[in-house]
């Protein structure tokens, strides 16, 4: 089936990168296989992460099918775009269907993008991971690649106003070496190794990032262990719990 929606969306994203003069650093894009299925498992610090994670596969000419909550597909603007790009809706009340759709896509040779933390990390540290990415990799028999993103939170993240017109922002995209699912006895072991590799990549991206906070009011986007004022992992977890209570009350 021809791709009518994805190519113009990519072109629009690249135009946005140029207009905003985003300082993109992409490393490890050669790890993305040019053919066959693969799972890209990224950390999650911004609502825009799918754009930049997908861009990491651009050099290999792969179109990434992201798993995203079904509410995005119900929106009158984003819904047609998401369906046109053949992304995979996730209904948390019926997750098995989404999982099976993703595994089928992998077996067809698609690249599937997953955010195994499930939600944006307010602390900007890697949270505990769901094991779905590893399970899909093992069931479909395809490699799992950790992807670290950094800088995207400065454009739009949870609990902060959008700054989508912010110019000259450095964005780092690091793609780790593929993990062979056959090398792990089960998804739990593979997920633990994924967390270790992903955390190391994110830590490197943070420490090598070319920008520093502009002043005391600009430290919110740095994690605490690097001198920033982002919430700790514990405080971030409490904020997430409060948000869930507010949503369900």
């Amino acid at each position: 089936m021809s791709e009518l929606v994805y190519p113009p969306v990519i072109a629009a994203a690249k135009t946005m990168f140029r207009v905003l003069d985003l300082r993109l650093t992409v490393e490890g894009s050669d790890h993305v296989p040019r053919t066959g299925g693969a799972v890209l498992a990224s950390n999650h610090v911004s609502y825009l992460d799918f754009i930049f994670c997908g861009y990491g596969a651009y050099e290999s000419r792969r179109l990434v099918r992201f798993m995203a909550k079904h509410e995005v597909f119900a929106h009158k603007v984003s819904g047609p775009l998401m369906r046109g790009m053949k992304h995979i809706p996730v209904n948390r009340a019926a997750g098995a269907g989404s999982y099976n759709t993703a595994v089928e896509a992998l077996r067809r040779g698609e690249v599937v993008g997953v955010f195994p933390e499930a939600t944006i990390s307010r602390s900007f540290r890697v949270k505990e991971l769901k094991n779905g990415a590893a399970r899909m990799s093992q069931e479909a028999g395809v490699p799992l690649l950790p992807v670290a993103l950094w800088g995207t939170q400065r454009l739009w993240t949870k609990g902060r106003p959008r700054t989508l017109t912010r110019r000259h922002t450095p964005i780092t995209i690091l793609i780790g070496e593929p993990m062979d699912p056959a090398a792990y006895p089960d998804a739990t072991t593979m997920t633990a190794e994924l967390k270790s590799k992903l955390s190391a990549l994110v830590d490197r991206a943070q420490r090598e990032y070319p920008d520093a906070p502009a002043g005391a009011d600009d430290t919110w986007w740095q994690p605490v262990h690097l001198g920033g004022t982002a919430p700790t992992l514990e405080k971030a977890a409490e904020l997430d719990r409060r948000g869930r209570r507010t949503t369900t009350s």
Side-chain angles (χ1 to χ4, degrees):
M1 187 181 296
S2 61
E3 298 286 348
L4 299 178
V5 178
Y6 222 138
V9 169
I10 292 173
K14 291 174 68 178
T15 299
M16 179 191 76
F17 298 163
R18 289 193 296 271
V19 169
L20 297 180
D21 191 28
L22 299 182
R23 293 151 56 192
L24 292 165
T25 297
V26 183
E27 183 179 308
S29 57
D30 56 310
H31 293 318
V32 180
R34 290 186 174 268
T35 60
V39 180
L40 300 186
S42 174
N43 70 313
H44 203 7
V45 295
S46 168
Y47 292 110
L48 304 177
D49 285 340
F50 71 97
I51 296 174
F52 295 98
C53 181
Y55 185 75
Y58 179 74
E59 185 177 303
S60 293
R61 298 297 185 265
R62 302 307 302 273
L63 300 177
V64 184
R65 316 300 180 181
F66 284 96
M67 301 186 74
K69 60 185 181 179
H70 73 281
E71 290 87 352
V72 180
F73 291 78
H75 191 275
K76 64 180 180 180
V77 176
S78 62
L81 290 173
M82 296 294 282
R83 288 188 291 273
M85 290 185 282
K86 303 172 191 162
H87 295 314
I88 301 169
V90 177
N91 186 338
R92 291 177 182 173
S98 305
Y99 174 87
N100 292 335
T101 299
V103 170
E104 289 170 5
L106 291 167
R107 287 173 172 162
R108 290 196 307 269
E110 299 275 14
V111 177
V112 173
V114 180
F115 297 102
E117 294 169 282
T119 59
I120 288 175
S121 172
R122 296 174 188 260
S123 71
F124 306 136
R125 307 288 299 276
V126 177
K127 304 193 298 183
E128 289 304 313
L129 307 183
K130 307 293 185 182
N131 68 5
R135 287 169 51 218
M136 288 189 295
S137 169
Q138 292 192 320
E139 187 167 341
V142 301
L144 173 62
L145 286 72
V147 180
L149 304 175
W150 190 243
T152 59
Q153 78 280 11
R154 300 177 71 188
L155 300 176
W156 189 15
T157 193
K158 186 179 289 187
R160 300 287 306 186
R162 283 175 288 187
T163 53
L164 299 179
T165 58
R166 193 178 194 283
R167 292 173 54 79
H168 317 305
T169 307
I171 304 291
T172 303
I173 306 166
L174 303 180
I175 304 174
E177 294 184 0
M179 298 170 62
D180 180 358
Y184 301 91
D186 51 49
T188 299
T189 305
M190 193 176 189
T191 300
E193 182 69 7
L194 172 63
K195 186 173 188 295
S196 176
K197 290 179 178 293
L198 188 56
S199 297
L201 282 175
V202 170
D203 185 67
R204 183 186 149 208
Q206 291 172 342
R207 293 183 185 280
E208 295 179 358
Y209 192 66
D211 259 11
D217 294 333
D218 191 42
T219 59
W220 63 267
W221 56 270
Q222 286 276 47
V224 171
H225 74 289
L226 293 180
T229 55
T232 62
L233 274 168
E234 295 75 18
K235 179 63 175 176
E238 174 58 26
L239 290 171
D240 285 341
R241 284 192 292 271
R242 290 180 188 172
R244 287 193 293 270
R245 287 198 294 267
T246 301
T247 302
T248 56
S249 61

